[in-house]
């Protein structure tokens, strides 16, 4: 049974929060393996340390100095760059579906803060303007905001009034609800979704890849990693992304649209290459600094891995084509520069602090679950120093990849 409580309601919009029992965080299931807490404690300590921390994957909540809400200007710029693709696909959806009277839209991995409503308001505004231009009645729009259960939905829903008053050009009927759960599981009824948006969510994996060799105090792939590390991360990404596509194909109507944005890379020839100022490379260096100072044990760093993968365009395209439920309509690559994601970017020290705040906002829950909270301030002070030292880096490998997909007609989909 779905419990539903009204959060905010007026004449033009009603906002609800749904607690969906089918929306289970699969990461937690995979980490627990069906064992009780006592059994887990009695198991192998290194294995627990290596895999159990994935369950707290979420952005830093609240709206304080270190929160994601405060340190997400980069994501806002990413959304701005993807706007033309989002608007184009929204218009094509409405036209191809012959201006339906109702559409259901989902933002998967919505996180918290004002950014959460930017894509949704763009979709609503695009629909309303198009309907006015074509002399059509605007549809009722069901807006579903999804993220893991640990996400700070409270902060998100504080901005509903801002969403209603500032971002919507027309006060037609739209309904906003929260749907907690992993997007690597089923979230919605079959053939109920018309449009799916996800920005900077799908590079996060459902779990740390299995079979990784000792990391030599690196939290992610580096130039010195064995090729098997890259293959393990790639395999996990392929499995997760294919699962995501399969589940969304079950939930979406024929000709439904998706616009997805990843953190990716522009390297093809050497799959291990990451530039010297890659954020996870700098985080590894910062953790090694703490090891040298005796604040963290080497084994603790060796057992920490980031559940993340930055695919290139070819890898994204291959998974979509192999899974077979969707057709690629747009595939774009945009520049990415963490060091200039906030204001006052002229000073290196300020740039380093800005990037440290951003990385802290997206990784602190994972780090605290593994290392505790005593090291976070000094860790990100080290991180800011490393960013400043590499501020002149020009050969950056990190990019944003934007892909739009159309759900194939049922007759064209592969049989399951």
């Amino acid at each position: 049974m779905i419990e539903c409580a009204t959060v905010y309601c007026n004449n033009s919009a009603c906002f609800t929060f749904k607690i969906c029992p089918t929306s289970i965080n699969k990461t937690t299931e995979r980490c627990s393996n069906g064992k009780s807490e006592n059994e887990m404690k009695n198991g192998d300590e290194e294995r627990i340390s290596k895999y159990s921390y994935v369950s707290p994957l979420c952005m830093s909540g609240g709206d304080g100095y270190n929160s994601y809400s405060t340190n997400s200007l980069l994501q806002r710029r990413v959304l701005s760059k993807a706007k033309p693709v989002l608007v184009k696909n929204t218009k094509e959806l409405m036209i191809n579906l012959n201006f339906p009277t109702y559409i259901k839209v989902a933002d998967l991995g919505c996180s918290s803060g004002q950014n959460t409503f930017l894509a949704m308001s763009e979709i609503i505004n695009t629909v309303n303007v198009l309907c006015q231009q074509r002399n059509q009645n605007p549809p009722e729009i069901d807006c579903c905001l999804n993220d893991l259960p640990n996400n700070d939905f409270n902060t998100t829903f504080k901005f509903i009034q801002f969403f209603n008053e500032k971002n919507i050009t027309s006060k037609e009927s739209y309904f906003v609800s929260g749907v907690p759960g992993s997007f690597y599981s089923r979230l919605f009824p079959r053939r109920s979704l018309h449009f799916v948006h996800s920005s900077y969510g799908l590079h996060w994996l459902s779990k740390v890849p299995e079979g990784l060799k000792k990391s030599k105090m690196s939290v992610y792939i580096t130039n010195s990693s064995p090729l098997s590390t890259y293959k393990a991360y790639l395999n996990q990404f392929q499995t997760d992304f294919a699962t995501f596509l399969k589940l969304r194909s079950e939930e979406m109507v024929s000709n439904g649209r998706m616009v997805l944005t990843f953190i990716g890379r522009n390297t093809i020839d050497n799959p291990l290459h990451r530039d010297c100022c890659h954020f996870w490379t700098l985080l590894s260096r910062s953790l090694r600094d703490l090891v040298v100072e005796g604040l963290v044990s080497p084994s603790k760093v060796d057992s920490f891995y980031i559940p993340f993968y930055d695919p290139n365009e070819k890898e994204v395209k291959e998974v979509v084509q192999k899974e077979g439920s969707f057709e690629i309509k747009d595939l774009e690559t945009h520049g990415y520069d963490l060091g200039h994601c906030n204001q006052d970017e002229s000073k290196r020290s300020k740039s380093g602090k800005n990037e440290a705040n951003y990385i802290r906002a997206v990784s602190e829950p994972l780090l605290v679950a593994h290392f505790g909270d005593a090291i976070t301030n000094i860790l990100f002070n080290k991180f800011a120093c490393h960013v400043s030292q590499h501020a002149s880096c020009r050969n950056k490998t990190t990019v944003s990849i934007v892909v739009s997909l159309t759900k194939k007609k049922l007759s064209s989909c592969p049989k399951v």
Side-chain angles (χ1 to χ4, degrees):
M1 179 178 177
I2 294 179
E3 299 179 9
C4 185
T6 299
V7 176
Y8 173 87
C9 192
N10 65 16
N11 292 333
S12 61
C14 184
F15 306 94
T16 61
F17 190 84
K18 300 176 183 176
I19 302 175
C20 305
T22 58
S23 304
I24 299 173
N25 182 351
K26 296 186 79 173
T27 299
T28 304
E29 289 181 326
R30 292 177 179 177
C31 293
S32 67
N33 291 323
K35 295 183 179 181
S36 67
E37 184 176 351
N38 289 335
E39 289 175 318
M40 288 289 284
K41 289 181 179 178
N42 293 331
D44 181 79
E45 183 176 353
E46 181 179 351
R47 177 180 59 79
I48 295 173
S49 176
K50 186 174 181 180
Y51 294 111
S52 65
Y53 63 80
V54 181
S55 58
L57 176 59
C58 62
M59 307 299 101
S60 294
D63 55 6
Y65 182 75
N66 294 319
S67 68
Y68 176 84
S69 180
T70 302
N71 296 283
S72 54
L73 181 57
L74 169 72
Q75 290 87 341
R76 197 176 308 169
R77 292 181 174 177
V78 168
L79 287 166
S80 178
K81 289 183 178 181
K83 176 180 174 179
V85 175
L86 184 65
V87 169
K88 171 191 170 187
N89 280 270
T90 302
K91 290 180 178 179
E92 291 178 353
L93 171 77
M94 292 298 296
I95 294 170
N96 291 340
L97 296 182
N98 196 24
F99 292 90
T101 59
Y102 162 86
I103 61 171
K104 187 170 186 175
V105 181
D107 192 347
L108 306 185
C110 67
S111 195
S112 60
Q114 293 186 31
N115 284 0
T116 299
F117 295 106
L118 292 180
M120 201 64 78
S121 62
E122 196 63 56
I123 293 169
I124 294 173
N125 290 338
T126 299
V127 169
N128 287 333
V129 170
L130 180 64
C131 288
Q132 290 174 7
Q133 292 173 344
R134 298 296 182 94
N135 197 27
Q136 299 286 334
N137 292 323
E140 291 188 325
I141 303 178
D142 188 0
C143 307
C144 303
L145 304 178
N146 156 262
D147 212 312
L148 292 171
N150 289 337
N151 181 58
D152 183 8
F153 284 99
N154 287 334
T155 295
T156 295
F157 281 97
K158 288 179 182 178
F159 291 101
I160 283 180
Q161 186 70 26
F162 169 84
F163 172 62
N164 184 41
E165 293 180 353
K166 302 296 184 182
N167 283 343
I168 305 303
T169 58
S170 177
K171 301 301 182 181
E172 303 298 338
S173 296
Y174 57 92
F175 307 84
V176 178
S177 60
V179 183
S182 169
F183 51 51
Y184 295 124
S185 66
R186 277 288 302 275
L187 295 167
F188 304 99
R190 292 181 184 274
R191 294 188 289 279
S192 65
L193 287 177
H194 298 84
F195 199 101
V196 168
H197 174 264
S198 182
S199 183
Y200 272 29
L202 283 162
H203 44 246
W204 293 106
L205 304 176
S206 68
K207 65 175 184 177
V208 171
E210 297 180 1
L212 294 176
K213 295 182 179 180
K214 288 292 184 180
S215 67
K216 296 181 181 179
M217 290 192 287
S218 293
V219 304
Y220 187 55
I221 299 169
T222 66
N223 292 335
S224 61
S225 298
L227 192 60
S228 61
T229 297
Y230 155 72
K231 291 181 178 178
Y233 271 99
L234 174 61
N235 289 340
Q236 189 61 53
F237 169 75
Q238 290 171 332
T239 298
D240 285 344
F241 189 31
T243 298
F244 175 90
L245 293 173
K246 178 181 181 295
L247 296 173
R248 301 296 82 78
S249 72
E250 295 173 1
E251 296 168 346
M252 297 190 74
V253 301
S254 296
N255 292 318
R257 297 290 178 114
M258 290 203 294
V259 175
L260 314 174
T261 305
F262 307 77
I263 291 179
R265 71 184 194 281
N266 57 16
T267 56
I268 297 177
D269 296 336
N270 181 2
L272 296 176
H273 179 61
R274 302 297 187 279
D275 58 65
C276 63
C277 54
H278 191 279
F279 39 92
W280 299 139
T281 300
L282 298 185
L283 182 63
S284 297
R285 291 177 181 172
S286 303
L287 285 167
R288 289 197 291 269
D289 289 343
L290 300 192
V291 170
V292 171
E293 296 179 10
L295 299 176
V296 178
S297 68
S299 61
K300 199 72 173 175
V301 179
D302 273 340
S303 61
F304 181 76
Y305 299 86
I306 294 289
F308 171 99
Y309 184 71
D310 46 354
N312 58 36
E313 279 192 7
K314 182 173 179 287
E315 291 166 347
V316 171
K317 187 182 300 184
E318 285 177 345
V319 175
V320 174
Q321 292 173 341
K322 184 176 180 180
E323 195 280 329
S325 299
F326 293 88
E327 177 183 355
I328 296 176
K329 290 295 184 181
D330 303 278
L331 185 59
E332 300 181 353
T333 299
H334 300 150
Y336 174 99
D337 191 347
L338 269 175
H340 298 85
C341 66
N342 282 305
Q343 298 176 349
D344 301 324
E345 59 197 27
S346 59
K347 297 181 180 180
R348 287 188 176 185
S349 59
K350 182 66 175 179
S351 178
K353 187 63 176 177
N354 288 339
E355 180 168 344
N357 289 342
Y358 165 73
I359 294 299
R360 180 171 183 165
V362 301
S363 65
E364 186 169 16
L366 281 173
L367 290 163
V368 169
H370 187 76
F371 297 100
D373 60 5
I375 68 166
T376 50
N377 286 334
I378 188 170
L379 173 64
F380 286 102
N381 286 336
K382 299 284 188 183
F383 187 98
C385 290
H386 284 298
V387 172
S388 299
Q389 293 168 4
H390 291 84
S392 60
C393 176
R394 291 291 180 266
N395 299 317
K396 297 186 177 181
T397 58
T398 303
V399 295
S400 292
I401 297 175
V402 182
V403 60
S404 70
L405 307 172
T406 300
K407 165 74 181 298
K408 294 179 179 178
K409 294 182 179 180
L410 292 177
S411 59
S412 302
C413 293
K415 295 182 178 179
V416 179

